[in-house]
Amino acid sequence: MHNKAGRIASIENDKPSLVGTESERPESRKRDMIIRAGAETFMEQGFEAASMDEVARRAGVSKATIYSHFESKHALFGAIVNGRCQAMIPKITAAALDDQPPAEALRSTGRSFLDLILSPGPLSLYRTVLAEAPRFPELGRNFYDAGPNLVAQALADYLARQHALGVLDVPTPRLSAEQFFGMVLGHAHLRMLLGIDGTPPGADERDRIVERAVQTFLHGVTKR
Amino acid sequence: MHNKAGRIASIENDKPSLVGTESERPESRKRDMIIRAGAETFMEQGFEAASMDEVARRAGVSKATIYSHFESKHALFGAIVNGRCQAMIPKITAAALDDQPPAEALRSTGRSFLDLILSPGPLSLYRTVLAEAPRFPELGRNFYDAGPNLVAQALADYLARQHALGVLDVPTPRLSAEQFFGMVLGHAHLRMLLGIDGTPPGADERDRIVERAVQTFLHGVTKR
DNA sequence: GTCTATAAAGGGATAGAC
DNA sequence: GTCTATCCCTTTATAGAC
């Protein structure tokens, strides 16, 4: 079915992530194991419910080793979240960066976005970050800046360019970009977050969702 | 400005809520105190972080009393969530129920929706339900059915009527309804969930958000 | 039904050896 | 850096008196 270890595959795309709240030695095999195990555990069980014992067990190290790499449970979680955001964003913004025509740019961006947020890892990440944000203030800010904000701003810049060119009429590009992504989300994201559907919408359904969003965004629903 | 105790005021609108996963005697003063205190505590601290000791303290009862009314911490949380959903939905659906013209219906529905989801109680409820859904399966389903689903379906029915009347062109009313609410959400909801902005958007900003969503939804952004 | 007191378990974090 | 062993605290849930 799905990729067995796929949910944590993206963690070591670039360098082993220099992302903690304080700087740490990037080169460490055990450190990577801890990050991988931590990501898995936090995403499956949530931050509070996850125990450092479990993380240690999955990483194949002792708890003391974890605490030699990360100051606290919160610091470990923060490092994981930052690493994930950096790994996941680029492919979404790509489409809008080279100036394709509106329909294509929106379709491509929307589909990439939908694919991302419906995949198991990001879904769990989103849920866990939201849950902890009120008791871990910098986490929310970091996540937003490194994730949703970057994506929205890339589309906003694209819309602003199309507006300047006279192709589209978008007086508030940032707001419209956020609203476009909101359309693509619809309830699909919420239903997955709530565990309503065991499986996410398939490729055909995603096409329908994105196509409908693009058409409405570009032309509206008023009968012509 | 806002109601000081408003975040927990809606809990006792109808009867004292006959909503637990199993049926319970509705008439109980202490039971109400427990529900109120539980709602407060879970929303502030999240499900895992909240302790039954804290709930007992705020309710002015002993822990043993709580366990005499609710089988477990999960059962208490479930009862709270169900009660909240029932109290908060009606005012949103009202606008679409009597068939106003599209612009007015969308504006009114969108604004009521935005006001609801940006207020402290629902915001915390949403966050906590999301966090617990994967480990508390029926909770997610109950919440969706009693909350988002009802709201979306009310608007979907309205859009379907307008489509039948030839006023709007909405071949997929349920999808479009979900997408309209997604537009209104934009990033405002996310930013509040993440604690990015200390205070929610004011009345003027909300007007801008809703107006932009309505205009785009009805007419699109393509230059005419 | 309601209380006090406590059982029973699990958690984050650390000491000290190597 | 890494391990084993453990401290110390909090938690859910319950026993037993009233």
Side-chain angles (χ1 to χ4, degrees):
Chain A
M1 38 186 71
H2 292 291
N3 41 356
K4 187 178 59 178
R7 65 170 64 182
I8 56 173
S10 57
I11 200 63
E12 45 191 1
N13 278 0
D14 301 358
K15 300 154 192 174
S17 73
L18 184 56
V19 289
T21 44
E22 69 276 11
S23 58
E24 287 137 12
R25 271 203 18 267
E27 193 62 46
S28 166
R29 177 83 191 121
K30 294 241 164 131
R31 192 174 185 283
D32 288 354
M33 298 297 295
I34 294 167
I35 294 252
R36 292 174 70 102
E40 227 181 303
T41 310
F42 286 133
M43 289 181 188
E44 277 178 23
Q45 310 189 8
F47 178 80
E48 287 282 347
S51 76
M52 295 296 261
D53 279 305
E54 175 75 7
V55 176
R57 197 185 58 73
R58 293 202 203 194
V61 302
S62 75
K63 248 195 312 186
T65 299
I66 299 182
Y67 281 98
S68 83
H69 284 278
F70 302 94
E71 231 183 25
S72 67
K73 193 183 180 186
H74 269 121
L76 172 59
F77 186 55
I80 290 168
V81 171
N82 283 343
R84 286 305 176 97
C85 286
Q86 294 181 358
M88 297 186 301
I89 299 308
K91 70 179 63 168
I92 298 179
T93 60
L97 292 185
D98 48 317
D99 289 302
Q100 297 177 307
E104 278 78 10
L106 290 172
R107 238 191 311 265
S108 172
T109 302
R111 182 56 191 271
S112 298
F113 175 68
L114 191 60
D115 286 342
L116 174 73
I117 59 140
L118 290 183
S119 52
L123 216 43
S124 299
L125 181 72
Y126 187 90
R127 179 164 34 218
T128 311
V129 168
L130 244 57
E132 281 313 299
R135 288 170 295 286
F136 192 3
E138 46 178 324
L139 178 69
R141 164 72 64 178
N142 286 349
F143 173 76
Y144 185 74
D145 289 346
N149 179 57
L150 284 183
V151 176
Q153 195 54 44
L155 181 58
D157 292 343
Y158 170 85
L159 293 176
R161 287 195 296 275
Q162 299 300 313
H163 182 79
L165 290 172
V167 178
L168 297 181
D169 178 31
V170 191
T172 58
R174 174 65 195 226
L175 178 57
S176 291
E178 295 179 6
Q179 293 191 339
F180 174 72
F181 285 117
M183 287 187 81
V184 174
L185 245 60
H187 275 199
H189 192 216
L190 176 60
R191 277 193 291 259
M192 288 303 294
L193 286 171
L194 291 174
I196 304 279
D197 305 324
T199 57
D204 291 354
E205 179 64 11
R206 294 181 194 205
D207 286 341
R208 275 188 60 241
I209 291 171
V210 172
E211 192 56 34
R212 190 77 242 144
V214 171
Q215 290 306 320
T216 303
F217 187 78
L218 288 178
H219 304 116
V221 300
T222 301
K223 195 130 186 171
R224 275 172 292 255
Chain B
M1 33 185 55
H2 292 292
N3 39 357
K4 187 178 59 177
R7 68 170 61 181
I8 54 172
S10 56
I11 201 61
E12 47 190 359
N13 277 0
D14 301 357
K15 301 153 190 175
S17 74
L18 184 54
V19 290
T21 43
E22 68 278 10
S23 57
E24 287 134 12
R25 267 197 26 260
E27 195 60 47
S28 165
R29 178 80 191 124
K30 294 239 164 134
R31 192 176 186 282
D32 288 354
M33 298 298 294
I34 293 168
I35 293 252
R36 292 175 69 102
E40 228 180 302
T41 310
F42 286 134
M43 288 182 189
E44 277 177 23
Q45 310 188 7
F47 178 79
E48 285 283 347
S51 76
M52 295 295 260
D53 278 306
E54 176 74 7
V55 176
R57 197 186 58 74
R58 295 202 202 194
V61 303
S62 76
K63 252 196 312 186
T65 300
I66 299 181
Y67 282 98
S68 82
H69 283 278
F70 301 93
E71 231 182 26
S72 67
K73 193 183 179 185
H74 269 120
L76 172 59
F77 186 55
I80 290 168
V81 170
N82 282 343
R84 285 304 175 96
C85 285
Q86 294 181 359
M88 296 187 301
I89 299 307
K91 71 179 62 166
I92 298 181
T93 60
L97 291 185
D98 48 316
D99 291 302
Q100 296 176 309
E104 278 77 9
L106 289 172
R107 238 192 311 266
S108 171
T109 303
R111 182 56 189 271
S112 297
F113 175 68
L114 191 59
D115 286 342
L116 173 73
I117 59 139
L118 291 182
S119 51
L123 215 44
S124 299
L125 182 72
Y126 187 90
R127 179 164 34 218
T128 310
V129 168
L130 245 56
E132 281 314 298
R135 287 170 296 286
F136 192 3
E138 47 178 323
L139 178 69
R141 163 73 63 182
N142 286 350
F143 173 77
Y144 186 74
D145 289 346
N149 179 58
L150 284 182
V151 176
Q153 196 54 45
L155 181 57
D157 291 343
Y158 170 84
L159 293 176
R161 288 195 296 273
Q162 297 301 313
H163 182 80
L165 291 171
V167 177
L168 297 181
D169 178 31
V170 191
T172 58
R174 174 63 195 228
L175 177 58
S176 292
E178 294 180 6
Q179 294 191 339
F180 174 73
F181 285 118
M183 287 188 80
V184 174
L185 245 58
H187 275 199
H189 192 216
L190 177 60
R191 277 193 291 260
M192 289 303 295
L193 286 171
L194 291 173
I196 304 279
D197 305 324
T199 56
D204 290 354
E205 179 64 11
R206 295 181 193 203
D207 286 341
R208 276 189 58 241
I209 291 170
V210 172
E211 192 56 33
R212 189 78 242 143
V214 171
Q215 290 306 319
T216 302
F217 187 79
L218 287 179
H219 304 116
V221 299
T222 302
K223 196 129 185 175
R224 277 172 290 257

